[in-house]
Structure formats: structure tokens, C-alpha cells
């Protein structure tokens, strides 16, 4: 049985109750520091620094205990659909260190190695996407989306096109309509047909003079390949629209087919999904935005180019920057090492192996009461089951099933997305999980589904083996319940009641 540690761990500032000064490293004495000439203005100097005052072993034990109450891909499978939570090789950690001591304002002559790395990964991403140029400046996938729609907006503005509508598939990630709206477009959803694919007849009837573009991911969030993509591209281009590729689902086709060959004009990539960079928990991500033909001139800058040396260049009509300097280069280095380690042959296996893993899972669950839209169609990187029949017959919902999976040592899949599937369970095994792990996950799901018919009440109260049990979802998601800082937490404790933030 899997069981998560549960420590009664206080906040790090509360560990030292004696008031004594403790430290993990020897800090130079004041008289020694006085010998060092530090040109720091007085208004930036502080006499007191609010530190926890702990020894090294206290700090290490504190964070190890916290990690034992957390779950990550180093602990077990994270089948979070549409997020490609694959295992991150540890060699990537070493690669990031290489970039840590450089400053983005250094003379380019002194960072030629880093620029060469950026140039090479740009070239590799061009190759795997079928695009003409890529920028590494965007810090995440959602920022890549925003960059893409801003490029589309500027293109239409400069060419005199009056276009204010962005088409979005109803299976699209939620960030698609959000990005389009942030760029000032009116969002129009294109409904899927009964097969779970874009309804091309509806698309033809909807696209028109005001269509700026169409945001689509392929395979879509049902894990289905949009087989009519050539017709879709033709419809959008006939109206001088731009076809945008959401690269969150690239894992399912990587090494098999390229967005640029399907007719896409702009592509964003999640280096922290497809290319093995750690993500989740709000840490820094990394992205890339790629373009083809006329859209290349609008990419965010810098692009790294090569002549006698490597140098940063600005596209002629660039939309500017989405974040500071060159982007999150430490994470770019991780993706660089990931691709370098796999090589051309290894990268070409990603799409095949992730597709195989998904379809093996579907086969393993074929005799359960989980249902599929278009069950005869093979899936790519992910699958969306409907637990509606189980919910109708037992009252056990997709939410309950996801919570019960935690008790068997698995992270919960994405639930209730895409919204076109009732009681949705979106599962993405990824190519990095072994057949034994996928089989174990399938057996866990089978056990839970059997339990739903024998003892549904037990599932409704799960999980039991985690550090934290079932939460009050309304309270957990309410802005007034958010604890943004240690000071707010301390005030909440002092008041012994909820502190309402205003």
C-alpha cells in the first residue's frame, strides 16, 4: 500500500523557539566585511535581515519533510492530461548550472557558447515543427500563445485588414480564448462534430472577412488527430487568416508529422512539456514561438543568428519582448540537453511511444464502464474517458475517481476537461512510463470502478493515504482563503478565524 508521509511541520520561521542565533554557514565577521569595498548606497543597506536562524541540518530536515508530503514525477506517474508531465532526466540539472553565472547584458563575445546553444536549439525546433524561424524569448506556453495572437494582430493591422474575430475550437485549452481576448479579439468557438473533430462545414460557414485566425491544437485535447487539417488550413487561408498551432499537444506527433507541413503559420511550443523541462508548482517555464513565411518578421526578439560569430537579431516588424532579456535560458539549456541526449532517432520515437502508451491503457480498460467518444478511433498522446455512466449508476463522479487514485500512489488526471465530455477523465501516460506502471495504473482504475458499485460512500471520502485529505473545494478556491505570505498566515493564526482579504 502506498502512504504519503504526514508531518506536523511548522513554518520554517517557527522552528527556532529559543531565540538563539543559529546558522548553517560561517558568515564573515563585521570587521572582515569592512575590509571589502562595497559600493552600495546607504538606502539599500539593511541593519537587520529577517532570516529563520537555523542550522544546516534543521533546514535540510525541514525541506525533506515537506518534500515527503508532496508529490512529483520523481515519486510516481503523473497522468495529467494535456500537460505532458513526463520524467525529467537529472542530467538537465547540470546543464542549467552552465548558464547561471552569465548576465544577459554581458558582451556577446563573452557568451558565444550560450548563444551557440540557443542558435542550435532554434534550428532543431524549426526542424521538428516545419517552421522557418523560432524565438526562445517567451517564458511559457501561455506567453507563447499571447505572442502568437499579438503577431497575428500586428500583421493584420499593418496590412490594412479589418479583422477582429479569432476562431477557437471548442476542445481548445482555456488559455486559447484568454490569449485571444487579451489581444483584443472577439472569440468565436467552433463546435466539434460527433467524431470529436472540428466541424469543417460549420467552420466554412463561420469563417469570413473578419476572421483573423484559427487557434487549434492537433492532436486535439481528446487525443484525436484532426484528419481534415488540410481543408481547415485552406478555409482559413482563403480568408487571409492565420492558422495558429497550440503546441501543448505536440508530444503526440513529435517525429511523425510537422505543424508547418499541415498548413500552420505560427506555432508555440512548451519546452517544459514536450522537451523534458520540469514544470508545475509555479516555477519558471520556458517556451518557444515559431513562424513561417510572412509571419517570421513579427516574432519576439531576439533571434540568435550566425555569421562569423553568434549574435542577437531583431526581426523587422517584431512585436517586441514578452519577458526580460532573452527568456528563461536556464530552462532552454535543459531542453537543449534533453534533445541532445535523445538525438534525432530518440526524438522521432517520442510521438510513437506516447501514442503506444495511451492506446495500451485504452486496451487495458476496454472492459470497464468508462466510455469513449468515437471509440473506434485510435488516440495519440492522451485519452478522455467519460465516467458519466458510473456517476449515473453509483453517484461516484470523475472527481471522486481522481481523488481515489491518490490513495494508490498516482497523481490525479485532468478532470472535467474538455467540457464537451461529461464527467471527463483526461489521462496522458507519456512515453516515459513503463508498461508495468501503466498496467498498475489501469488496475488501480479498475479497482476504483469496482469499489464504486460495492461501496460508493468510501470513494466519496477519499483520499485516505495522503498528507491532506479531501479539501473544502469552495473554500480552497475562494480568493479570501488564499494565503499569499507568511505574514498573512501568522495573522490568520492570531485571529483564530478566517482573515478576509480585501
Amino acid at each position: 500500500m502506498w502512504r504519503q508521509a504526514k508531518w506536523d511541520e511548522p513554518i520554517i520561521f517557527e522552528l527556532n523557539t529559543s531565540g538563539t542565533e543559529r546558522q548553517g554557514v560561517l558568515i564573515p565577521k563585521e570587521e572582515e566585511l569592512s575590509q571589502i569595498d562595497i559600493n552600495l548606497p546607504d538606502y539599500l543597506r539593511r541593519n537587520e535581515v529577517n532570516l529563520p536562524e537555523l542550522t544546516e541540518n534543521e533546514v535540510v530536515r525541514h525541506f525533506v519533510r515537506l518534500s515527503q508530503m508532496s508529490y512529483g514525477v520523481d515519486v510516481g506517474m503523473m497522468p495529467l492530461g494535456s500537460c505532458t508531465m513526463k520524467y525529467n532526466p537529472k542530467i538537465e540539472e547540470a546543464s542549467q548550472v552552465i548558464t547561471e553565472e552569465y548576465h544577459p547584458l554581458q558582451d556577446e563575445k563573452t557568451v558565444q557558447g550560450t548563444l551557440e546553444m540557443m542558435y542550435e536549439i532554434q534550428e532543431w525546433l524549426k526542424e521538428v515543427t516545419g517552421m522557418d524561424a523560432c524565438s526562445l524569448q517567451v517564458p511559457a506556453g501561455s506567453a507563447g500563445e499571447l505572442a502568437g495572437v499579438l503577431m497575428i494582430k500586428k500583421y493584420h493591422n499593418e496590412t490594412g485588414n479589418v479583422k477582429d474575430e479569432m476562431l477557437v475550437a471548442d476542445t481548445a485549452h482555456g488559455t486559447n480564448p484568454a490569449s485571444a481576448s487579451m489581444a483584443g479579439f472577439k472569440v468565436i468557438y467552433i463546435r466539434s462534430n460527433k467524431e470529436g473533430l472540428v466541424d469543417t462545414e460549420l467552420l466554412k460557414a463561420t469563417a469570413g472577412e473578419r476572421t483573423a485566425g484559427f487557434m487549434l491544437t492537433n492532436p486535439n485535447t481528446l487525443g484525436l488527430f484532426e484528419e481534415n487539417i488540410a481543408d481547415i488550413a485552406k478555409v482559413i487561408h482563403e480568408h487571409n487568416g492565420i492558422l495558429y498551432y497550440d503546441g501543448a499537444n505536440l508530444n503526440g506527433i513529435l517525429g511523425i508529422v510537422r505543424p508547418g507541413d499541415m498548413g500552420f503559420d505560427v506555432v508555440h511550443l512548451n519546452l517544459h512539456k514536450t522537451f523534458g523541462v520540469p514544470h508545475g508548482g509555479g516555477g519558471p517555464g520556458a517556451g518557444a514561438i515559431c513562424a513561417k513565411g510572412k509571419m517570421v518578421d513579427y516574432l519576439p526578439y531576439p533571434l540568435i543568428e550566425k555569421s562569423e560569430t553568434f549574435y542577437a537579431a531583431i526581426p523587422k516588424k517584431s512585436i517586441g519582448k514578452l519577458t526580460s532579456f532573452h527568456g528563461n535560458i536556464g530552462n532552454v539549456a535543459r531542453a537543449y540537453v534533453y534533445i541532445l541526449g535523445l538525438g534525432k532517432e530518440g526524438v522521432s520515437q517520442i510521438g510513437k511511444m506516447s501514442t503506444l502508451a495511451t492506446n495500451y491503457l485504452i486496451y487495458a480498460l476496454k472492459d470497464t464502464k468508462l466510455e469513449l467518444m468515437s471509440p473506434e478511433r485510435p488516440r495519440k498522446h492522451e485519452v478522455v474517458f467519460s465516467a458519466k455512466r458510473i456517476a449515473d449508476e453509483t453517484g461516484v463522479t470523475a472527481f471522486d475517481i481522481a481523488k481515489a487514485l491518490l490513495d494508490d500512489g498516482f497523481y490525479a488526471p485532468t478532470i472535467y476537461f474538455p467540457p464537451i465530455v461529461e464527467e471527463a477523465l483526461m489521462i496522458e501516460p507519456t512515453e516515459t512510463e513503463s508498461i508495468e506502471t501503466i498496467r498498475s495504473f489501469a488496475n488501480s482504475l479498475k479497482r476504483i470502478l469496482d469499489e464504486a458499485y460495492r461501496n460508493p460512500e468510501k470513494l466519496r471520502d477519499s483520499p485516505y493515504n495522503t498528507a491532506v485529505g479531501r479539501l473544502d473545494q469552495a473554500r480552497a478556491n475562494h480568493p479570501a482563503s488564499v494565503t499569499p505570505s507568511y505574514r498573512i498566515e501568522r495573522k490568520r493564526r492570531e485571529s483564530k478565524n478566517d482573515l478576509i482579504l480585501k
Side-chain angles (χ1 to χ4, degrees):
M1 174 185 287
W2 182 82
R3 190 176 294 277
Q4 195 170 42
K6 185 175 182 179
W7 295 94
D8 185 17
E9 188 67 16
I11 294 171
I12 194 168
F13 284 90
E14 297 174 344
L15 286 173
N16 183 352
T17 59
S18 67
T20 56
E21 293 183 357
R22 304 175 196 160
Q23 57 194 42
V25 296
L26 288 176
I27 301 174
K29 296 179 180 178
E30 190 172 350
E31 56 268 26
E32 294 173 337
L33 286 174
S34 65
Q35 298 172 8
I36 303 173
D37 183 19
I38 301 175
N39 187 22
L40 194 64
D42 289 340
Y43 70 90
L44 290 178
R45 295 175 184 267
R46 287 181 290 175
N47 294 323
E48 294 183 3
V49 180
N50 187 22
L51 294 175
E53 302 285 355
L54 298 170
T55 60
E56 179 176 322
N57 59 346
E58 288 175 308
V59 173
V60 169
R61 288 169 184 168
H62 173 73
F63 285 107
V64 167
R65 286 194 287 263
L66 290 181
S67 72
Q68 290 172 337
M69 293 194 290
S70 299
Y71 191 98
V73 75
D74 287 350
V75 175
M77 178 178 172
M78 298 189 72
L80 199 65
S82 259
C83 267
T84 315
M85 304 290 269
K86 61 175 70 176
Y87 176 74
N88 314 127
K90 294 296 169 276
I91 188 64
E92 294 176 14
E93 302 289 336
S95 65
Q96 186 175 14
V97 173
I98 297 173
T99 66
E100 288 178 352
E101 295 185 356
Y102 295 131
H103 193 282
L105 293 180
Q106 274 186 235
D107 189 321
E108 287 183 345
K109 294 177 183 176
T110 67
V111 289
Q112 282 295 296
T114 300
L115 294 178
E116 182 177 3
M117 173 198 70
M118 295 173 67
Y119 175 81
E120 287 193 347
I121 196 169
Q122 285 179 182
E123 294 297 302
W124 297 343
L125 296 180
K126 284 165 53 179
E127 177 64 26
V128 298
T129 58
M131 293 282 133
D132 294 333
C134 293
S135 167
L136 305 169
Q137 211 273 332
V138 292
S142 53
E145 283 184 25
L146 182 59
V149 291
L150 290 175
M151 289 166 61
I152 294 171
K153 188 177 185 67
K154 188 170 184 180
Y155 162 72
H156 286 308
N157 286 344
E158 291 197 344
T159 51
N161 300 322
V162 180
K163 291 177 176 289
D164 57 0
E165 296 177 353
M166 183 63 72
L167 308 185
V168 176
D170 66 355
T171 55
H173 298 106
T175 47
N176 286 188
S179 298
S181 182
M182 287 175 68
F185 289 110
K186 177 183 177 183
V187 176
I188 297 179
Y189 281 98
I190 300 298
R191 186 182 59 223
S192 299
N193 60 25
K194 294 181 180 178
E195 296 292 304
L197 305 175
V198 171
D199 186 330
T200 53
E201 293 304 315
L202 180 61
L203 178 67
K204 291 175 185 175
T206 306
E209 292 183 356
R210 303 190 80 89
T211 300
F214 186 22
M215 301 181 78
L216 187 65
T217 182
N218 194 15
N220 63 28
T221 55
L222 294 174
L224 297 169
F225 187 81
E226 295 282 357
E227 60 188 18
N228 300 314
I229 186 59
D231 292 337
I232 293 170
K234 182 180 178 184
V235 170
I236 298 304
H237 291 155
E238 282 177 348
H239 294 286
N240 195 21
I242 303 298
L243 190 59
Y244 181 88
Y245 184 81
D246 175 345
N249 291 354
L250 184 69
N251 217 55
I253 59 169
L254 194 61
I256 302 172
V257 64
R258 309 188 303 175
D261 298 335
M262 299 183 213
F264 286 93
D265 306 293
V266 178
V267 172
H268 94 255
L269 301 175
N270 300 276
L271 300 185
H272 54 283
K273 289 184 180 179
T274 314
F275 298 102
V277 177
H279 71 306
I289 179 81
C290 306
K292 195 170 184 178
K294 61 197 176 191
M295 299 307 295
V296 168
D297 289 342
Y298 298 89
L299 281 168
Y301 73 90
L303 303 184
I304 306 304
E305 297 186 356
K306 177 184 177 183
S307 57
E308 293 181 356
T309 61
F310 297 94
Y311 64 96
I314 302 176
K316 288 187 291 187
K317 302 174 182 177
S318 174
I319 59 167
K321 290 186 173 184
L322 269 289
T323 187
S324 57
F325 299 114
H326 299 69
N328 286 335
I329 301 306
N331 277 343
V332 171
R334 289 174 183 248
Y336 178 83
V337 168
Y338 178 78
I339 298 172
L340 196 65
L342 286 174
K344 187 175 182 180
E345 184 179 354
V347 170
S348 70
Q349 291 295 313
I350 291 175
K352 297 173 185 175
M353 296 302 292
S354 61
T355 298
L356 179 62
T358 304
N359 287 280
Y360 178 77
L361 178 67
I362 295 170
Y363 174 79
L365 296 170
K366 63 182 174 59
D367 295 326
T368 69
K369 293 187 178 180
L370 293 172
E371 297 175 308
L372 279 175
M373 180 185 286
S374 304
E376 73 286 357
R377 288 182 177 273
R379 264 54 180 180
K380 291 298 181 183
H381 64 303
E382 66 190 4
V383 58
V384 181
F385 291 106
S386 171
K388 184 176 185 305
R389 180 180 174 186
I390 298 161
D392 290 344
E393 293 178 353
T394 70
V396 171
T397 63
F399 183 81
D400 298 323
I401 295 170
K403 292 297 182 185
L405 277 167
L406 303 179
D407 278 334
D408 284 354
F410 296 105
Y411 197 81
T414 299
I415 53 176
Y416 301 108
F417 180 79
I420 64 171
V421 177
E422 291 186 83
E423 295 294 331
L425 285 165
M426 177 189 270
I427 303 171
E428 182 175 359
T430 83
E431 75 281 5
T432 60
E433 299 299 340
S434 68
I435 188 171
E436 290 85 358
T437 301
I438 297 172
R439 192 179 293 149
S440 177
F441 179 77
N443 289 338
S444 179
L445 264 176
K446 289 178 182 176
R447 179 195 65 76
I448 293 166
L449 299 182
D450 288 343
E451 189 80 28
Y453 286 87
R454 288 187 289 105
N455 189 2
E457 290 302 322
K458 182 180 178 182
L459 293 180
R460 291 195 195 101
D461 290 333
S462 60
Y464 301 94
N465 299 334
T466 51
V468 177
R470 190 168 294 209
L471 300 174
D472 180 336
Q473 294 294 312
R475 184 171 183 270
N477 287 285
H478 196 285
S481 305
V482 173
T483 305
S485 70
Y486 167 67
R487 291 186 178 88
I488 297 296
E489 171 65 17
R490 191 167 55 186
K491 287 183 178 179
R492 278 209 171 103
R493 291 187 182 191
E494 291 171 353
S495 67
K496 298 181 180 179
N497 287 306
D498 278 353
L499 181 67
I500 305 301
L501 300 178
K502 297 181 179 179

